[in-house]
mmCIF file with all atom_site columns, all heavy atoms in Angstrom:
data_model
loop_
_atom_site.group_PDB
_atom_site.id
_atom_site.type_symbol
_atom_site.label_atom_id
_atom_site.label_alt_id
_atom_site.label_comp_id
_atom_site.label_asym_id
_atom_site.label_entity_id
_atom_site.label_seq_id
_atom_site.pdbx_PDB_ins_code
_atom_site.Cartn_x
_atom_site.Cartn_y
_atom_site.Cartn_z
_atom_site.occupancy
_atom_site.B_iso_or_equiv
_atom_site.pdbx_formal_charge
_atom_site.auth_seq_id
_atom_site.auth_comp_id
_atom_site.auth_asym_id
_atom_site.auth_atom_id
_atom_site.pdbx_PDB_model_num
ATOM 1   N N   . VAL Q 1 175 ? 13.595  -3.636 4.480  1.00 97.00 ? 175 VAL Q N   1
ATOM 2   C CA  . VAL Q 1 175 ? 13.654  -2.562 5.464  1.00 97.00 ? 175 VAL Q CA  1
ATOM 3   C C   . VAL Q 1 175 ? 13.022  -1.269 4.862  1.00 97.00 ? 175 VAL Q C   1
ATOM 4   O O   . VAL Q 1 175 ? 12.264  -0.604 5.584  1.00 97.00 ? 175 VAL Q O   1
ATOM 5   C CB  . VAL Q 1 175 ? 15.095  -2.282 5.895  1.00 97.00 ? 175 VAL Q CB  1
ATOM 6   C CG1 . VAL Q 1 175 ? 15.231  -1.011 6.715  1.00 97.00 ? 175 VAL Q CG1 1
ATOM 7   C CG2 . VAL Q 1 175 ? 15.651  -3.464 6.648  1.00 97.00 ? 175 VAL Q CG2 1
ATOM 8   N N   . SER Q 1 176 ? 13.368  -0.930 3.669  1.00 97.00 ? 176 SER Q N   1
ATOM 9   C CA  . SER Q 1 176 ? 12.820  0.291  3.062  1.00 97.00 ? 176 SER Q CA  1
ATOM 10  C C   . SER Q 1 176 ? 11.314  0.160  2.945  1.00 97.00 ? 176 SER Q C   1
ATOM 11  O O   . SER Q 1 176 ? 10.565  1.136  3.112  1.00 97.00 ? 176 SER Q O   1
ATOM 12  C CB  . SER Q 1 176 ? 13.484  0.584  1.705  1.00 97.00 ? 176 SER Q CB  1
ATOM 13  O OG  . SER Q 1 176 ? 13.081  -0.372 0.734  1.00 97.00 ? 176 SER Q OG  1
ATOM 14  N N   . ALA Q 1 177 ? 10.786  -1.004 2.571  1.00 98.00 ? 177 ALA Q N   1
ATOM 15  C CA  . ALA Q 1 177 ? 9.356   -1.224 2.447  1.00 98.00 ? 177 ALA Q CA  1
ATOM 16  C C   . ALA Q 1 177 ? 8.649   -1.090 3.769  1.00 98.00 ? 177 ALA Q C   1
ATOM 17  O O   . ALA Q 1 177 ? 7.590   -0.527 3.894  1.00 98.00 ? 177 ALA Q O   1
ATOM 18  C CB  . ALA Q 1 177 ? 9.062   -2.575 1.812  1.00 98.00 ? 177 ALA Q CB  1
ATOM 19  N N   . ALA Q 1 178 ? 9.285   -1.678 4.839  1.00 98.00 ? 178 ALA Q N   1
ATOM 20  C CA  . ALA Q 1 178 ? 8.694   -1.555 6.186  1.00 98.00 ? 178 ALA Q CA  1
ATOM 21  C C   . ALA Q 1 178 ? 8.614   -0.114 6.640  1.00 98.00 ? 178 ALA Q C   1
ATOM 22  O O   . ALA Q 1 178 ? 7.589   0.329  7.204  1.00 98.00 ? 178 ALA Q O   1
ATOM 23  C CB  . ALA Q 1 178 ? 9.501   -2.422 7.185  1.00 98.00 ? 178 ALA Q CB  1
ATOM 24  N N   . LEU Q 1 179 ? 9.672   0.626  6.407  1.00 97.00 ? 179 LEU Q N   1
ATOM 25  C CA  . LEU Q 1 179 ? 9.707   2.047  6.776  1.00 97.00 ? 179 LEU Q CA  1
ATOM 26  C C   . LEU Q 1 179 ? 8.681   2.822  5.948  1.00 97.00 ? 179 LEU Q C   1
ATOM 27  O O   . LEU Q 1 179 ? 8.018   3.734  6.455  1.00 97.00 ? 179 LEU Q O   1
ATOM 28  C CB  . LEU Q 1 179 ? 11.103  2.653  6.607  1.00 97.00 ? 179 LEU Q CB  1
ATOM 29  C CG  . LEU Q 1 179 ? 12.175  2.052  7.564  1.00 97.00 ? 179 LEU Q CG  1
ATOM 30  C CD1 . LEU Q 1 179 ? 13.537  2.696  7.250  1.00 97.00 ? 179 LEU Q CD1 1
ATOM 31  C CD2 . LEU Q 1 179 ? 11.786  2.280  9.016  1.00 97.00 ? 179 LEU Q CD2 1
ATOM 32  N N   . PHE Q 1 180 ? 8.569   2.507  4.653  1.00 97.00 ? 180 PHE Q N   1
ATOM 33  C CA  . PHE Q 1 180 ? 7.556   3.157  3.811  1.00 97.00 ? 180 PHE Q CA  1
ATOM 34  C C   . PHE Q 1 180 ? 6.166   2.925  4.385  1.00 97.00 ? 180 PHE Q C   1
ATOM 35  O O   . PHE Q 1 180 ? 5.351   3.868  4.441  1.00 97.00 ? 180 PHE Q O   1
ATOM 36  C CB  . PHE Q 1 180 ? 7.664   2.582  2.408  1.00 97.00 ? 180 PHE Q CB  1
ATOM 37  C CG  . PHE Q 1 180 ? 6.582   3.087  1.472  1.00 97.00 ? 180 PHE Q CG  1
ATOM 38  C CD1 . PHE Q 1 180 ? 6.455   4.459  1.226  1.00 97.00 ? 180 PHE Q CD1 1
ATOM 39  C CD2 . PHE Q 1 180 ? 5.769   2.200  0.814  1.00 97.00 ? 180 PHE Q CD2 1
ATOM 40  C CE1 . PHE Q 1 180 ? 5.438   4.910  0.343  1.00 97.00 ? 180 PHE Q CE1 1
ATOM 41  C CE2 . PHE Q 1 180 ? 4.784   2.634  -0.082 1.00 97.00 ? 180 PHE Q CE2 1
ATOM 42  C CZ  . PHE Q 1 180 ? 4.630   4.022  -0.254 1.00 97.00 ? 180 PHE Q CZ  1
ATOM 43  N N   . GLY Q 1 181 ? 5.839   1.684  4.758  1.00 97.00 ? 181 GLY Q N   1
ATOM 44  C CA  . GLY Q 1 181 ? 4.537   1.436  5.365  1.00 97.00 ? 181 GLY Q CA  1
ATOM 45  C C   . GLY Q 1 181 ? 4.366   2.197  6.668  1.00 97.00 ? 181 GLY Q C   1
ATOM 46  O O   . GLY Q 1 181 ? 3.330   2.890  6.848  1.00 97.00 ? 181 GLY Q O   1
ATOM 47  N N   . LEU Q 1 182 ? 5.363   2.183  7.512  1.00 96.00 ? 182 LEU Q N   1
ATOM 48  C CA  . LEU Q 1 182 ? 5.245   2.909  8.794  1.00 96.00 ? 182 LEU Q CA  1
ATOM 49  C C   . LEU Q 1 182 ? 5.133   4.420  8.633  1.00 96.00 ? 182 LEU Q C   1
ATOM 50  O O   . LEU Q 1 182 ? 4.646   5.123  9.540  1.00 96.00 ? 182 LEU Q O   1
ATOM 51  C CB  . LEU Q 1 182 ? 6.446   2.529  9.702  1.00 96.00 ? 182 LEU Q CB  1
ATOM 52  C CG  . LEU Q 1 182 ? 6.449   1.095  10.236 1.00 96.00 ? 182 LEU Q CG  1
ATOM 53  C CD1 . LEU Q 1 182 ? 7.779   0.827  10.946 1.00 96.00 ? 182 LEU Q CD1 1
ATOM 54  C CD2 . LEU Q 1 182 ? 5.290   0.886  11.175 1.00 96.00 ? 182 LEU Q CD2 1
ATOM 55  N N   . SER Q 1 183 ? 5.680   4.948  7.573  1.00 95.00 ? 183 SER Q N   1
ATOM 56  C CA  . SER Q 1 183 ? 5.614   6.374  7.317  1.00 95.00 ? 183 SER Q CA  1
ATOM 57  C C   . SER Q 1 183 ? 4.190   6.921  7.291  1.00 95.00 ? 183 SER Q C   1
ATOM 58  O O   . SER Q 1 183 ? 3.928   8.110  7.450  1.00 95.00 ? 183 SER Q O   1
ATOM 59  C CB  . SER Q 1 183 ? 6.396   6.783  6.130  1.00 95.00 ? 183 SER Q CB  1
ATOM 60  O OG  . SER Q 1 183 ? 5.727   6.414  4.912  1.00 95.00 ? 183 SER Q OG  1
ATOM 61  N N   . HIS Q 1 184 ? 3.228   6.032  7.063  1.00 93.00 ? 184 HIS Q N   1
ATOM 62  C CA  . HIS Q 1 184 ? 1.859   6.489  6.893  1.00 93.00 ? 184 HIS Q CA  1
ATOM 63  C C   . HIS Q 1 184 ? 1.140   6.633  8.245  1.00 93.00 ? 184 HIS Q C   1
ATOM 64  O O   . HIS Q 1 184 ? -0.048  6.972  8.308  1.00 93.00 ? 184 HIS Q O   1
ATOM 65  C CB  . HIS Q 1 184 ? 1.090   5.466  6.018  1.00 93.00 ? 184 HIS Q CB  1
ATOM 66  C CG  . HIS Q 1 184 ? 1.511   5.431  4.595  1.00 93.00 ? 184 HIS Q CG  1
ATOM 67  N ND1 . HIS Q 1 184 ? 2.631   4.762  4.181  1.00 93.00 ? 184 HIS Q ND1 1
ATOM 68  C CD2 . HIS Q 1 184 ? 0.988   6.039  3.484  1.00 93.00 ? 184 HIS Q CD2 1
ATOM 69  C CE1 . HIS Q 1 184 ? 2.767   4.930  2.892  1.00 93.00 ? 184 HIS Q CE1 1
ATOM 70  N NE2 . HIS Q 1 184 ? 1.830   5.704  2.417  1.00 93.00 ? 184 HIS Q NE2 1
ATOM 71  N N   . VAL Q 1 185 ? 1.888   6.375  9.364  1.00 91.00 ? 185 VAL Q N   1
ATOM 72  C CA  . VAL Q 1 185 ? 1.252   6.536  10.673 1.00 91.00 ? 185 VAL Q CA  1
ATOM 73  C C   . VAL Q 1 185 ? 0.879   7.991  10.954 1.00 91.00 ? 185 VAL Q C   1
ATOM 74  O O   . VAL Q 1 185 ? 0.017   8.291  11.804 1.00 91.00 ? 185 VAL Q O   1
ATOM 75  C CB  . VAL Q 1 185 ? 2.177   6.023  11.828 1.00 91.00 ? 185 VAL Q CB  1
ATOM 76  C CG1 . VAL Q 1 185 ? 2.441   4.522  11.650 1.00 91.00 ? 185 VAL Q CG1 1
ATOM 77  C CG2 . VAL Q 1 185 ? 3.503   6.815  11.888 1.00 91.00 ? 185 VAL Q CG2 1
ATOM 78  N N   . ASP Q 1 186 ? 1.460   8.959  10.240 1.00 88.00 ? 186 ASP Q N   1
ATOM 79  C CA  . ASP Q 1 186 ? 1.096   10.337 10.442 1.00 88.00 ? 186 ASP Q CA  1
ATOM 80  C C   . ASP Q 1 186 ? -0.389  10.576 10.082 1.00 88.00 ? 186 ASP Q C   1
ATOM 81  O O   . ASP Q 1 186 ? -1.005  11.536 10.564 1.00 88.00 ? 186 ASP Q O   1
ATOM 82  C CB  . ASP Q 1 186 ? 1.950   11.278 9.623  1.00 88.00 ? 186 ASP Q CB  1
ATOM 83  C CG  . ASP Q 1 186 ? 1.604   11.320 8.133  1.00 88.00 ? 186 ASP Q CG  1
ATOM 84  O OD1 . ASP Q 1 186 ? 1.897   10.295 7.459  1.00 88.00 ? 186 ASP Q OD1 1
ATOM 85  O OD2 . ASP Q 1 186 ? 0.991   12.285 7.664  1.00 88.00 ? 186 ASP Q OD2 1
ATOM 86  N N   . ASN Q 1 187 ? -0.971  9.677  9.248  1.00 88.00 ? 187 ASN Q N   1
ATOM 87  C CA  . ASN Q 1 187 ? -2.389  9.797  8.934  1.00 88.00 ? 187 ASN Q CA  1
ATOM 88  C C   . ASN Q 1 187 ? -3.325  9.550  10.153 1.00 88.00 ? 187 ASN Q C   1
ATOM 89  O O   . ASN Q 1 187 ? -4.488  9.853  10.101 1.00 88.00 ? 187 ASN Q O   1
ATOM 90  C CB  . ASN Q 1 187 ? -2.763  8.820  7.808  1.00 88.00 ? 187 ASN Q CB  1
ATOM 91  C CG  . ASN Q 1 187 ? -2.234  9.292  6.465  1.00 88.00 ? 187 ASN Q CG  1
ATOM 92  O OD1 . ASN Q 1 187 ? -2.124  10.480 6.197  1.00 88.00 ? 187 ASN Q OD1 1
ATOM 93  N ND2 . ASN Q 1 187 ? -1.802  8.330  5.656  1.00 88.00 ? 187 ASN Q ND2 1
ATOM 94  N N   . LEU Q 1 188 ? -2.755  9.023  11.240 1.00 87.00 ? 188 LEU Q N   1
ATOM 95  C CA  . LEU Q 1 188 ? -3.537  8.918  12.466 1.00 87.00 ? 188 LEU Q CA  1
ATOM 96  C C   . LEU Q 1 188 ? -3.949  10.278 13.001 1.00 87.00 ? 188 LEU Q C   1
ATOM 97  O O   . LEU Q 1 188 ? -4.892  10.381 13.742 1.00 87.00 ? 188 LEU Q O   1
ATOM 98  C CB  . LEU Q 1 188 ? -2.743  8.160  13.553 1.00 87.00 ? 188 LEU Q CB  1
ATOM 99  C CG  . LEU Q 1 188 ? -2.542  6.650  13.316 1.00 87.00 ? 188 LEU Q CG  1
ATOM 100 C CD1 . LEU Q 1 188 ? -1.562  6.086  14.360 1.00 87.00 ? 188 LEU Q CD1 1
ATOM 101 C CD2 . LEU Q 1 188 ? -3.895  5.924  13.458 1.00 87.00 ? 188 LEU Q CD2 1
ATOM 102 N N   . PHE Q 1 189 ? -3.207  11.315 12.624 1.00 83.00 ? 189 PHE Q N   1
ATOM 103 C CA  . PHE Q 1 189 ? -3.478  12.631 13.091 1.00 83.00 ? 189 PHE Q CA  1
ATOM 104 C C   . PHE Q 1 189 ? -4.371  13.427 12.139 1.00 83.00 ? 189 PHE Q C   1
ATOM 105 O O   . PHE Q 1 189 ? -4.643  14.605 12.318 1.00 83.00 ? 189 PHE Q O   1
ATOM 106 C CB  . PHE Q 1 189 ? -2.207  13.432 13.273 1.00 83.00 ? 189 PHE Q CB  1
ATOM 107 C CG  . PHE Q 1 189 ? -1.302  12.861 14.376 1.00 83.00 ? 189 PHE Q CG  1
ATOM 108 C CD1 . PHE Q 1 189 ? -0.382  11.903 14.106 1.00 83.00 ? 189 PHE Q CD1 1
ATOM 109 C CD2 . PHE Q 1 189 ? -1.455  13.293 15.696 1.00 83.00 ? 189 PHE Q CD2 1
ATOM 110 C CE1 . PHE Q 1 189 ? 0.445   11.356 15.078 1.00 83.00 ? 189 PHE Q CE1 1
ATOM 111 C CE2 . PHE Q 1 189 ? -0.659  12.786 16.698 1.00 83.00 ? 189 PHE Q CE2 1
ATOM 112 C CZ  . PHE Q 1 189 ? 0.307   11.834 16.395 1.00 83.00 ? 189 PHE Q CZ  1
ATOM 113 N N   . LEU Q 1 190 ? -4.828  12.741 11.076 1.00 78.00 ? 190 LEU Q N   1
ATOM 114 C CA  . LEU Q 1 190 ? -5.686  13.404 10.071 1.00 78.00 ? 190 LEU Q CA  1
ATOM 115 C C   . LEU Q 1 190 ? -7.089  13.512 10.653 1.00 78.00 ? 190 LEU Q C   1
ATOM 116 O O   . LEU Q 1 190 ? -7.614  12.570 11.247 1.00 78.00 ? 190 LEU Q O   1
ATOM 117 C CB  . LEU Q 1 190 ? -5.723  12.557 8.822  1.00 78.00 ? 190 LEU Q CB  1
ATOM 118 C CG  . LEU Q 1 190 ? -6.411  13.052 7.575  1.00 78.00 ? 190 LEU Q CG  1
ATOM 119 C CD1 . LEU Q 1 190 ? -5.649  14.251 7.015  1.00 78.00 ? 190 LEU Q CD1 1
ATOM 120 C CD2 . LEU Q 1 190 ? -6.554  11.945 6.540  1.00 78.00 ? 190 LEU Q CD2 1
ATOM 121 N N   . PRO Q 1 191 ? -7.730  14.653 10.518 1.00 72.00 ? 191 PRO Q N   1
ATOM 122 C CA  . PRO Q 1 191 ? -9.132  14.821 11.023 1.00 72.00 ? 191 PRO Q CA  1
ATOM 123 C C   . PRO Q 1 191 ? -10.042 13.689 10.449 1.00 72.00 ? 191 PRO Q C   1
ATOM 124 O O   . PRO Q 1 191 ? -10.087 13.519 9.266  1.00 72.00 ? 191 PRO Q O   1
ATOM 125 C CB  . PRO Q 1 191 ? -9.558  16.172 10.513 1.00 72.00 ? 191 PRO Q CB  1
ATOM 126 C CG  . PRO Q 1 191 ? -8.268  16.937 10.416 1.00 72.00 ? 191 PRO Q CG  1
ATOM 127 C CD  . PRO Q 1 191 ? -7.242  15.956 9.958  1.00 72.00 ? 191 PRO Q CD  1
ATOM 128 N N   . GLY Q 1 192 ? -10.740 13.034 11.337 1.00 72.00 ? 192 GLY Q N   1
ATOM 129 C CA  . GLY Q 1 192 ? -11.643 11.962 10.906 1.00 72.00 ? 192 GLY Q CA  1
ATOM 130 C C   . GLY Q 1 192 ? -10.962 10.673 10.603 1.00 72.00 ? 192 GLY Q C   1
ATOM 131 O O   . GLY Q 1 192 ? -11.540 9.729  10.078 1.00 72.00 ? 192 GLY Q O   1
ATOM 132 N N   . ALA Q 1 193 ? -9.673  10.540 10.940 1.00 75.00 ? 193 ALA Q N   1
ATOM 133 C CA  . ALA Q 1 193 ? -8.891  9.367  10.622 1.00 75.00 ? 193 ALA Q CA  1
ATOM 134 C C   . ALA Q 1 193 ? -9.467  8.124  11.302 1.00 75.00 ? 193 ALA Q C   1
ATOM 135 O O   . ALA Q 1 193 ? -9.934  8.206  12.458 1.00 75.00 ? 193 ALA Q O   1
ATOM 136 C CB  . ALA Q 1 193 ? -7.440  9.523  11.030 1.00 75.00 ? 193 ALA Q CB  1
ATOM 137 N N   . ASP Q 1 194 ? -9.432  7.041  10.619 1.00 82.00 ? 194 ASP Q N   1
ATOM 138 C CA  . ASP Q 1 194 ? -9.900  5.760  11.187 1.00 82.00 ? 194 ASP Q CA  1
ATOM 139 C C   . ASP Q 1 194 ? -8.665  4.917  11.461 1.00 82.00 ? 194 ASP Q C   1
ATOM 140 O O   . ASP Q 1 194 ? -7.867  4.639  10.572 1.00 82.00 ? 194 ASP Q O   1
ATOM 141 C CB  . ASP Q 1 194 ? -10.833 5.066  10.204 1.00 82.00 ? 194 ASP Q CB  1
ATOM 142 C CG  . ASP Q 1 194 ? -11.415 3.769  10.743 1.00 82.00 ? 194 ASP Q CG  1
ATOM 143 O OD1 . ASP Q 1 194 ? -10.664 2.768  10.703 1.00 82.00 ? 194 ASP Q OD1 1
ATOM 144 O OD2 . ASP Q 1 194 ? -12.554 3.759  11.158 1.00 82.00 ? 194 ASP Q OD2 1
#
Side-chain angles (χ1 to χ4, degrees):
V175 171
S176 69
L179 294 178
F180 174 59
L182 289 172
S183 72
H184 293 81
V185 297
D186 76 287
N187 286 326
L188 287 170
F189 295 89
L190 189 69
D194 183 282

